Amino acid sequence: MEESRICQGSVIRSLLSILQWWVFNVTVIIMNKWIFQKLDFKFPLTVSCVHFICSSIGGYLVIKVLKLKPLITVDPEDRWRRIFPMSFVFCINIVLGNVSLRYIPVSFMQTIKSFTPATTVILQWLVWRKHFDWRIWASLVPIVGGILLTSITELSFNMLGFCAALFGCLATSTKTILAESLLHGYKFDSINTVYYMAPFATMIMAIPAMLVEGSGVLNWLNTHPNPGSAVIIILGSGVMAFCLNFSIFYVIHSTTAVTFNVAGNLKVAVAVLVSWLIFKNPIPASNAFGCAVTLAGCTFYGYVRQMLSQQPPPVPGTPRTPRTPRSKMELLPLVNDKLDDKV
């Protein structure tokens, strides 16, 4: 009886953690799209900078003031040698995501973001010469096919937005791969990651945002009919972006890898549905089918990766003994995609 109650409590905690992750994630996406489309704030660099500033303040409050999470100490040298390169890629990732939202619908952007597993595998294969099981390659077929079908049938297709979302996938994959090597030895959670990376990202983004968009932002403030309420919405999106990082910490520790993968794909479907209800962007049947194929491929990819990670190593001396790895990179595990949604 006691075990049954514990099991039920664990299930409830998992469902609540997934639900709040969905809420924060979809809210950030919808608020950013609302800022670009409804508020006519056409400045993705500035929006990204606001997110980084809010995340820097939030990380400091959670770790230093409220002490809700213990600080993971990092050597000053490692902050520049390890964390700064990741912060640079992290910055590019967020900016490209906001640029894509500026030009293409949420449904199309979210479908393209699902291409991240494919870019991760291809990048590791091309650059790091890492070899993968044939089942991993097979799981990428529906992902790529769904993306192609969605892109061909997208009514609001924009080349700049499409390229920004696609290169955003590449930046996400690069960030994830760098995390495997640069953060080796540090057991970072999402809050400590934000605590260290957000200030660097703010420093990287502040000057380009002021130089490229500064005059446009000032002109927008002078001409917008309700600048006060609009600024509150923009700051609110930054607060929600930090809350998203905080929610990821709980969902990672409350679910299994398979559950996280399935919930992540369902989250994309929820984001697409909510954006369609709010912005009324047309979604042809073939476009919706392409999105569904892509999400099914992502789910299959997660299942295959989990299945391969649980296989016991073959007994040495048997005919199935693998060959000697060509490099140390082949000894690395498959990249953990659990932190790909950090904003």
Side-chain angles (χ1 to χ4, degrees), residues 25 28 32 51-52 55 90 93-94 98 194 237 240-242 244-245 248 339-343:
N25 194 285
V28 169
N32 286 354
H51 286 191
F52 297 144
S55 293
F90 170 72
N93 178 33
I94 301 304
N98 284 330
V194 170
S237 73
M240 289 294 104
F242 170 73
L244 171 59
N245 287 282
I248 289 173
L339 298 181
D340 279 354
D341 280 316
K342 283 201 298 294
V343 175

Side-chain angles (χ1 to χ4, degrees), residues 54-73:
C54 291
S55 293
S56 300
I57 296 172
Y60 180 84
L61 290 176
V62 168
I63 292 179
K64 289 290 190 177
V65 179
L66 301 178
K67 299 186 184 301
L68 297 178
K69 279 294 298 177
L71 175 66
I72 297 175
T73 305

Side-chain angles (χ1 to χ4, degrees), residues 14-312:
S14 297
L15 291 176
L16 289 177
S17 67
I18 291 173
L19 182 61
Q20 51 92 30
W21 173 47
W22 279 6
V23 169
F24 285 125
N25 194 285
V26 174
T27 301
V28 169
I29 294 171
I30 298 302
M31 287 186 74
N32 286 354
K33 187 63 178 179
W34 185 275
I35 289 168
F36 294 132
Q37 184 169 321
K38 300 296 185 180
L39 299 183
D40 199 35
F41 191 81
K42 312 294 188 182
F43 311 106
L45 299 183
T46 303
V47 172
S48 301
C49 195
V50 169
H51 286 191
F52 297 144
I53 293 172
C54 291
S55 293
S56 300
I57 296 172
Y60 180 84
L61 290 176
V62 168
I63 292 179
K64 289 290 190 177
V65 179
L66 301 178
K67 299 186 184 301
L68 297 178
K69 279 294 298 177
L71 175 66
I72 297 175
T73 305
V74 177
D75 295 334
E77 181 183 351
D78 282 344
R79 296 187 186 186
W80 289 98
R81 187 166 56 92
R82 297 189 180 192
I83 297 178
F84 182 79
M86 279 194 59
S87 301
F88 185 77
V89 180
F90 170 72
C91 191
I92 294 174
N93 178 33
I94 301 304
V95 169
L96 289 175
N98 284 330
V99 170
S100 65
L101 274 177
R102 161 77 171 79
Y103 291 101
I104 60 177
V106 172
S107 56
F108 190 31
M109 180 263 195
Q110 286 289 291
T111 304
I112 298 173
K113 282 288 289 182
S114 301
F115 193 59
T116 300
T119 57
T120 302
V121 171
I122 294 171
L123 193 64
Q124 285 187 301
W125 176 64
L126 287 176
V127 179
W128 282 273
R129 301 300 180 186
K130 182 173 173 61
H131 291 262
F132 295 92
D133 187 275
W134 69 269
R135 285 165 288 187
I136 290 290
W137 291 107
S139 69
L140 301 183
V141 174
I143 298 177
V144 176
I147 293 291
L148 290 175
L149 179 60
T150 305
S151 302
I152 293 172
T153 59
E154 175 59 45
L155 297 178
S156 304
F157 184 86
N158 178 279
M159 182 55 71
L160 179 57
F162 173 77
C163 290
L166 199 59
F167 281 106
C169 293
L170 186 62
T172 301
S173 301
T174 304
K175 172 177 65 71
T176 309
I177 293 171
L178 286 176
E180 292 283 348
S181 55
L182 293 180
L183 298 185
H184 180 71
Y186 291 105
K187 296 186 180 297
F188 270 23
D189 53 61
S190 60
I191 302 302
N192 274 275
T193 301
V194 170
Y195 176 83
Y196 282 108
M197 289 174 57
F200 277 132
T202 302
M203 181 177 65
I204 294 168
M205 183 51 55
I207 295 178
M210 287 188 293
L211 292 177
V212 177
E213 299 178 346
S215 59
V217 172
L218 292 177
N219 182 63
W220 177 86
L221 287 171
N222 292 327
T223 57
H224 196 276
N226 298 299
S229 58
V231 169
I232 291 175
I233 293 175
I234 295 171
L235 291 175
S237 73
V239 174
M240 289 294 104
F242 170 73
C243 291
L244 171 59
N245 287 282
F246 202 73
S247 71
I248 289 173
F249 168 75
Y250 288 106
V251 75
I252 286 175
H253 289 79
S254 302
T255 63
T256 64
V258 174
T259 302
F260 187 92
N261 178 262
V262 174
N265 294 322
L266 289 176
K267 175 209 69 182
V268 174
V270 172
V272 171
L273 177 62
V274 173
S275 70
W276 177 77
L277 291 174
I278 294 176
F279 299 105
K280 305 297 183 182
N281 57 289
I283 302 178
S286 55
N287 194 291
F289 178 73
C291 180
V293 170
T294 300
L295 296 181
C298 291
T299 304
F300 181 51
Y301 166 82
Y303 169 75
V304 170
R305 197 186 64 180
Q306 180 70 12
M307 181 180 61
L308 291 175
S309 67
Q310 293 179 345
Q311 283 184 350

